[in-house]
Amino acid sequence: MDRDHGPRMHVPEQRAPQQAAADGADLRFSVLGPVRAWRGGEVLPSGSPQQRALLTALLLRGGRTATASELIDAIWGEDPPSQALAAVRTYASRLRKVLDPRTLVSDAGGYAIRTRRDALDLTVAQELAAEADKARAACDRAQARALFNKALGLWDGEALASVPGPYAEYQRTRLEEWRLQLTETRLDLDLEVGHHAEAVSELTALTAAHPLRERLRELLMIALYRSGRQAEALAVYADTRRLLADELGVDPRPELSQLQQRILRADEELARPADEPAPAPAPVRPAQLPATVPDFTGRASFVRELGDRLATAEGSVMAVSALAGIGGVGKTTLAVHVAHQARQHFPDGQLYVDLQGAGARAAEPETVLGAFLRALGTADSAIPDSLDERAALYRSTLDGRRVLVLLDNAHDAAQIRPLLPGTAGCAALVTSRVRMVDLAGAHLVDLDVMSPEEALQLFTRIVGEERINSEREAALDVVAACGFLPLAIRIAASRLAARRTWTVSVLAAKLADERRRLDELQAGDLAVKATFELGYGQLEPAQARAFRLLGLADGPDISLAAAAALLNLEAHAAEDLLEALVDTSLLESAAPGRYRYHDLVRLYARSCAERDEQPPEERELALSRLLDFYLATAAGVYALERPGDRLVAHLQPTQYPGLKFDDRHAALDWLYAEANCLLACAQQSTSHSMLRRAVDLLWAAKDLAESGANSKQYELAALATRDAAQACGDAHAEGRARTTITNVHIVAGRFDEADDEARQAMELASSAEDPVPNCWAPNDRGVIAIYQGRHEEGEQHLLLAIENFRADNNDVGQASALCNLSRIHVSLGRMASAIELAQQGIDIYDRMGLSLRLANGRYALGIALTQAGRLSEALNQLTEALALFHDNRQPLWEGVTHFRLAEAHLAARRPTQAAAHAEQAIALRGIGGEWRRGTVLTVLGKALDSIGQPDRARACWIEALAIYEQLGAPEAEEARRLLAPAAA
């Protein structure tokens, strides 16, 4: 009997269109999953399995008529029942009533379904796949990936699920094969556009499900290789070769063997995605250059020289030009002007950063690289921690692009080197006060003051020709008094332009003071200071006070609310003063509501404060108000996120109020936006009168350490407060500071250092009778003992912590210690009490409405349930914890929760899911630093070994062993044990 076997695995040619019945225009059908029919949003009954088999056979014929004999063969095959024909007619009659008489029609002794082409999900999937093929052929990989994903998204489980009959079985097999082909094509596109890291987890699961499908193994090898995991890529080949030999008695196909050889040779072409990556739907092209000044004057030879150098970046080398000169000579103005003129040579974008090289704390290269990577479209979760890894990712991201990088105000060559693109097509412009003779390959430019003609031309453009023409000699006196220094000229001219009642002679007379003129000509940076003095001297008293005091804050910029606190003014009054300073160019508006100084202006402002602020105590009072503002606001954020936590009651009182938030998400937005300024304030507030509040600010902002964001700056601030407390003999402040450092060390996996800090904190807490470290230090020591396997000692620490928390009526802290004690009991084999302790902690968190801490409780309970063998419950708890950590912006805790989920799935004998979670844990990192990475690699290896990839598993265990041995961690023994059978 002639059968219709349905769609081909490649997208078939379009069939003749059918005219849908008017009454059936809103009918929809699905076969990529259970066979179903809808009218609008209503699911229609499809009847018995055999009736669905009839519907399936008609739907897959694309509107063509199926004879009764064909339908009988499709439903029952070679052994139909005696009443098969009557049954077919009954099924057709019932379907006609459910659907519509004009949808299911009788035709030439058979039946057909006539409806719109887009009414069937399979037809939609075929058309999407065809469009995807066209997009790929046109090199539009992004569009092709989106279309393939959309087509694959139409599947809802197994095609033709539970439909009986040989026809349905045949079609089910073909549709599953087509689905795999689409998935392979989409994964191939993922690799072409550089999404190899994201593809590893999916490919690991697919190779486990289809172990003999060599194309999937090939794609997995490429994805691992491009992710820097060469050993695992080679291990996949070894696994495949052994499996094929054992199962089929054959060798891998030639393409797979050739791929192995390319990996062994470290083929550079293989390490890169396709030469012509897919055009992004919204390409990230940063345009960060500051605005060029409209009155740029002179410097023609330098503009030409630098412009020619930048144009060579289109050739075979990267162009690096470094401009050097004294402060105020116009390095930044020239660099920005040249950069704007060269933009046509760098169509992929321009990056800019002020490296604050002249200040006390130059910008850290890793911080700058993080900002650059974000500007280039890299997600936060994909940005590594270390400087070397960020620099490598930065260079990789710029490879193949033509980007100009303007590195303004650099401290030295060491700060610059990690920020250089390193590839042809890109260029870097550097400005600094020092000559960078040790910056290899750089084109050095020494920028001197302006010529008299250029200086007068700049002065004239700002002030206006009408005023200058009538007082040309006085104007020459002014620019000469300014030492022909562009910044000095610009400031003087701006003040004059803003004072219409002044004559040029008045300004010249003000500059005639010989002390100022000599300073301009001979004192280097003091020349810039003398120029600033002119602008400062013209400020109204309130403006001058604001200028002096704002310069005291160490942060990279300052918000309007923080500035109002520092100045002890209402926000609107502070804003008026700040905008007036912006108008005089003594202050910059970094963004709406945020302000910053040029670093030299900040130094000058501080010198003015030291000289002019009366009484002198006002300087410390201003910084004290700023500290109060940050502490009060951060404490409010902490209380909003952790209602009922007793820490807030133990913080130092503040005199100046902070901001209030009704929504916890808005509160967290503020905390992370102000992180740099807040931590800088804590780090500089180490005088005796402010020290305790500075330490408490770190406590209130502890999310900045636990989340992994700003961890280095947090650590520097904590160390500064600890050292200051130790120097002045303040046991109260030192105990709290050491406890914050303990937390930093735990997050980084430095457990010995963490335990030492916590031990000293406990001793100090006892002498100072301070409940904060008295409670939290033993709790931290208990956590450290868990990681180091000192379970009996950890139990004693945690019992002491619980006792101290109860004495302080701190239910939140008690819940934390209970959950940590649960983990001790797990390690000691006391599963019933471990579960009970974790549940007690959860009950407390739940009662108090603590979202983030509830995540910690569910995390602890999930661990206990996993070890108790109650795996379904464990997975539920850990999955809820994962969602809560994500909602609270705790990526490091997300990482460790993925690790625990991997453990639970492995215990439940679901190694594919375990491998997927372990891969995500590696991507997110986690609490514990390199030690944690070692534990994740160990579990990933176990999962891979269970899904038949022992060589890749061995590669994971070898890397884990190297980490453990470097750290001196006891887990090294387990890694050796896992490797022992393979070694034997």
Side-chain angles (χ1 to χ4, degrees):
M1 184 177 290
D2 183 25
R3 294 175 183 161
D4 174 15
H5 294 304
R8 297 173 59 82
M9 292 307 102
H10 298 290
V11 179
E13 296 180 0
Q14 301 291 329
R15 300 187 180 96
Q18 300 98 38
Q19 179 64 40
D23 291 345
D26 57 350
L27 280 173
R28 291 183 295 115
F29 300 91
S30 69
V31 294
L32 301 178
V35 175
R36 290 172 291 194
W38 292 267
R39 177 174 285 107
E42 177 189 2
V43 179
L44 302 178
S46 54
S48 67
Q50 287 75 19
Q51 187 168 307
R52 289 197 303 275
L54 175 70
L55 177 61
T56 298
L58 294 175
L59 287 171
L60 294 183
R61 294 183 74 85
R64 290 183 290 111
T65 300
T67 66
S69 60
E70 288 174 333
L71 292 173
I72 291 171
D73 189 40
I75 299 171
W76 291 286
E78 302 298 333
D79 189 22
S82 59
Q83 299 299 318
L85 181 58
V88 166
R89 291 170 178 169
T90 300
Y91 299 151
S93 176
R94 290 172 181 172
L95 284 172
R96 185 181 289 114
K97 291 177 182 178
V98 171
L99 302 176
D100 183 87
R102 285 177 287 182
T103 298
L104 199 163
V105 298
S106 299
D107 183 24
Y111 300 95
I113 287 182
R114 307 287 167 78
T115 186
R116 308 183 322 275
R117 287 191 56 77
D118 62 355
L120 181 62
D121 58 355
L122 173 59
T123 306
V124 175
Q126 291 168 342
E127 292 176 349
L128 287 170
E131 290 300 316
D133 285 336
K134 292 178 183 177
R136 189 180 191 188
C139 294
D140 190 351
R141 295 183 177 87
Q143 177 68 3
R145 288 178 67 239
L147 289 168
F148 277 126
N149 276 323
K150 193 171 181 181
L152 288 165
L154 293 174
W155 262 266
D156 184 17
E158 182 185 46
L160 310 179
S162 302
V163 176
Y167 179 79
E169 183 60 35
Y170 182 78
Q171 293 293 350
R172 202 164 19 245
T173 301
R174 292 173 69 87
L175 287 173
E176 177 58 25
E177 173 62 23
W178 187 45
R179 182 183 187 179
L180 279 172
Q181 288 179 6
L182 292 179
T183 302
E184 287 173 342
T185 304
R186 196 261 302 152
L187 284 165
D188 198 15
L189 283 165
D190 287 349
L191 301 186
E192 288 182 14
V193 298
H195 290 193
H196 36 267
E198 297 88 335
V200 170
S201 178
E202 184 178 356
L203 281 165
T204 298
L206 285 169
T207 53
H210 306 279
L212 298 177
R213 200 170 181 95
E214 292 183 68
R215 178 54 178 160
L216 289 174
R217 298 267 182 162
E218 181 181 348
L219 293 171
L220 177 57
M221 289 173 66
I222 297 171
L224 287 168
Y225 179 66
R226 289 182 181 170
S227 299
R229 298 159 71 174
Q230 182 179 5
E232 288 185 64
L234 292 170
V236 170
Y237 178 81
D239 289 335
T240 307
R241 183 177 183 181
R242 185 184 56 259
L243 181 66
L244 291 173
D246 292 346
E247 296 291 331
L248 305 176
V250 299
D251 290 328
R253 60 180 182 159
E255 292 86 352
L256 206 61
S257 301
Q258 291 165 9
L259 176 60
Q260 181 218 21
Q261 292 301 313
R262 294 182 71 187
I263 293 174
L264 287 170
R265 295 195 307 268
D267 191 325
E268 293 184 2
E269 290 299 319
L270 181 61
R272 288 194 296 268
D275 291 335
E276 297 180 11
V284 179
R285 295 188 179 94
Q288 297 184 341
L289 295 177
T292 188
V293 293
D295 46 30
F296 181 85
T297 303
R299 309 296 202 188
S301 62
F302 290 113
V303 171
R304 184 168 52 254
E305 177 184 355
L306 290 169
D308 291 342
R309 289 287 303 179
L310 292 179
T312 66
E314 293 185 77
S316 59
V317 297
M318 177 191 67
V320 180
S321 297
L323 287 72
I326 64 171
V329 79
K331 301 181 295 295
T332 298
T333 301
L334 173 59
V336 170
H337 180 77
V338 170
H340 274 284
Q341 286 199 335
R343 286 183 63 176
Q344 61 179 336
H345 299 297
F346 304 96
D348 297 318
Q350 305 85 41
L351 297 168
Y352 171 85
V353 64
D354 178 1
L355 294 169
Q356 306 177 40
R361 295 185 181 87
E364 295 289 342
E366 54 261 53
T367 302
V368 175
L369 286 170
F372 278 177
L373 286 168
R374 293 185 191 96
L376 291 166
T378 306
D380 280 351
S381 60
I383 298 176
D385 288 331
S386 72
L387 173 60
D388 290 343
E389 288 178 315
R390 289 188 176 192
L393 178 59
Y394 169 66
R395 292 190 295 271
S396 298
T397 303
L398 289 180
D399 187 37
R401 299 192 191 187
R402 288 159 57 189
V403 175
L404 174 62
V405 183
L406 177 46
L407 304 171
D408 193 19
N409 198 7
H411 179 68
D412 55 21
Q415 184 190 29
I416 286 299
R417 290 188 188 100
L419 308 178
L420 296 178
T423 56
C426 293
L429 267 177
V430 183
T431 72
S432 178
R433 288 185 294 168
V434 298
R435 285 189 95 237
M436 294 199 174
V437 294
D438 53 345
L439 189 61
H443 172 64
L444 302 182
V445 176
D446 292 321
L447 195 59
D448 203 351
V449 296
M450 285 181 154
S451 68
E453 294 77 14
E454 289 177 336
L456 182 61
Q457 186 180 7
L458 173 61
F459 189 76
T460 302
R461 285 191 173 183
I462 297 172
V463 176
E465 289 186 6
E466 183 179 349
R467 297 174 73 182
I468 299 305
N469 289 342
S470 61
E471 294 185 275
R472 183 176 176 81
E473 289 301 319
L476 287 171
D477 291 341
V478 167
V479 296
C482 289
F484 308 112
L485 197 67
L487 181 58
I489 296 168
R490 182 170 297 281
I491 292 175
S494 297
R495 298 304 301 164
L496 182 61
R499 298 292 190 271
R500 301 302 300 177
T501 57
W502 285 9
T503 63
V504 180
S505 298
V506 169
L507 179 59
K510 290 179 177 293
L511 294 175
D513 187 326
E514 185 176 350
R515 292 177 304 163
R516 292 183 177 175
R517 181 157 52 88
L518 291 175
D519 287 345
E520 292 277 356
L521 296 173
Q522 299 180 14
D525 285 349
L526 292 177
V528 176
K529 180 178 178 180
T531 303
F532 292 152
E533 190 75 47
L534 176 64
Y536 174 68
Q538 302 304 318
L539 297 177
E540 301 293 335
Q543 295 172 350
R545 174 180 176 271
F547 175 75
R548 293 191 299 268
L549 295 182
L550 285 172
L552 298 174
D554 268 356
D557 60 3
I558 192 167
S559 68
L560 176 59
L566 185 143
L567 298 173
N568 199 21
L569 294 171
E570 296 292 333
H572 64 86
E575 184 176 22
D576 288 344
L577 291 176
L578 269 57
E579 289 297 329
L581 293 175
V582 170
D583 290 341
T584 64
S585 300
L586 291 174
L587 192 66
E588 298 176 16
S589 179
R594 301 199 72 86
Y595 302 88
R596 68 183 177 201
Y597 281 108
H598 184 283
D599 46 17
L600 294 178
V601 180
R602 185 199 298 273
L603 293 176
Y604 172 70
R606 289 183 176 180
S607 71
C608 290
E610 294 171 1
R611 181 190 65 192
D612 299 339
E613 199 59 47
Q614 299 298 330
E617 295 78 15
E618 175 58 17
R619 298 197 298 274
E620 184 158 334
L621 288 174
L623 289 175
S624 179
R625 288 190 297 269
L626 181 63
L627 178 60
D628 272 0
F629 166 77
Y630 283 132
L631 176 55
T633 308
V637 174
Y638 188 97
L640 191 61
E641 192 183 6
R642 301 172 175 85
D645 195 318
R646 286 276 296 159
L647 173 67
V648 177
H650 295 307
L651 298 177
Q652 291 290 305
T654 57
Q655 300 299 316
Y656 197 92
L659 300 175
K660 302 294 183 184
F661 301 98
D662 296 324
D663 174 67
R664 56 183 295 273
H665 292 289
L668 286 174
D669 286 343
W670 177 89
L671 180 65
Y672 287 102
E674 290 291 335
N676 291 330
C677 298
L678 180 152
L679 294 173
C681 179
Q683 187 170 348
Q684 81 171 129
S685 301
T686 54
S687 66
H688 182 70
S689 64
M690 293 191 287
L691 179 57
R692 291 190 177 186
R693 282 177 289 153
V695 175
D696 283 356
L697 176 56
L698 294 176
W699 268 91
K702 66 186 298 185
D703 277 349
L704 298 178
E706 290 189 1
S707 70
N710 309 98
S711 55
K712 182 173 183 179
Q713 191 177 357
Y714 187 98
E715 181 177 2
L716 292 174
L719 291 170
T721 57
R722 180 202 64 185
D723 294 345
Q726 193 172 20
C728 67
D730 189 338
H732 178 281
E734 186 182 350
R736 292 194 179 190
R738 287 189 182 277
T739 314
T740 64
I741 296 171
T742 299
N743 193 36
V744 170
H745 285 321
I746 291 174
V747 169
R750 301 189 291 262
F751 300 124
D752 289 337
E753 295 92 330
D755 196 53
D756 183 61
E757 291 289 348
R759 177 186 56 77
Q760 295 186 64
M762 288 178 65
E763 295 171 358
L764 291 162
S766 178
S767 63
E769 298 182 352
D770 183 3
V772 174
N774 198 41
C775 293
W776 287 103
N779 184 69
D780 289 341
R781 294 199 75 186
V783 172
I784 296 163
I786 293 171
Y787 288 128
Q788 295 190 321
R790 298 180 284 108
H791 304 123
E792 290 80 3
E793 181 184 342
E795 183 174 22
Q796 296 306 309
H797 287 310
L798 290 168
L799 288 172
L800 175 60
I802 291 171
E803 179 183 341
N804 292 346
F805 279 128
R806 285 173 177 166
D808 188 42
N809 295 318
N810 191 338
D811 290 341
V812 175
Q814 179 187 341
S816 174
L818 286 168
C819 291
N820 291 329
L821 185 58
S822 165
R823 295 175 62 186
I824 291 281
H825 280 220
V826 168
S827 299
L828 294 173
R830 306 173 195 164
M831 299 308 165
S833 58
I835 293 171
E836 175 60 27
L837 287 167
Q839 189 60 58
Q840 290 178 32
I842 288 176
D843 290 343
I844 294 173
Y845 289 142
D846 212 11
R847 185 179 70 248
M848 305 187 77
L850 291 167
S851 173
L852 175 57
R853 295 307 138 197
L854 181 60
N856 291 113
R858 296 200 182 282
Y859 173 81
L861 181 56
I863 294 173
L865 290 168
T866 299
Q867 297 303 315
R870 294 161 59 176
L871 301 176
S872 178
E873 298 171 75
L875 289 169
N876 288 338
Q877 293 293 330
L878 290 170
T879 301
E880 289 188 38
L882 182 66
L884 289 169
F885 283 132
H886 180 76
D887 186 53
N888 285 275
R889 309 181 198 183
Q890 297 288 323
L892 295 184
W893 277 106
E894 284 186 67
V896 294
T897 307
H898 275 297
F899 165 66
R900 297 300 183 183
L901 281 163
E903 286 187 320
H905 280 295
L906 197 59
R909 299 184 180 179
R910 290 194 284 266
T912 301
Q913 293 92 326
H917 281 289
E919 290 283 3
Q920 292 184 70
I922 288 175
L924 286 167
R925 303 181 296 278
I927 302 293
E930 279 299 288
W931 174 85
R932 175 61 67 193
R933 178 175 171 82
T935 64
V936 176
L937 285 167
T938 301
V939 169
L940 177 58
K942 292 177 181 178
L944 292 171
D945 192 49
S946 296
I947 60 176
Q949 300 184 26
D951 291 282
R952 188 177 164 199
R954 178 179 170 81
C956 292
W957 293 331
I958 290 172
E959 185 178 351
L961 178 60
I963 292 171
Y964 294 146
E965 288 180 340
Q966 183 177 3
L967 297 174
E971 289 82 3
E973 188 57 37
E974 182 188 11
R976 293 190 191 98
R977 179 179 57 77
L978 290 167
L979 286 166

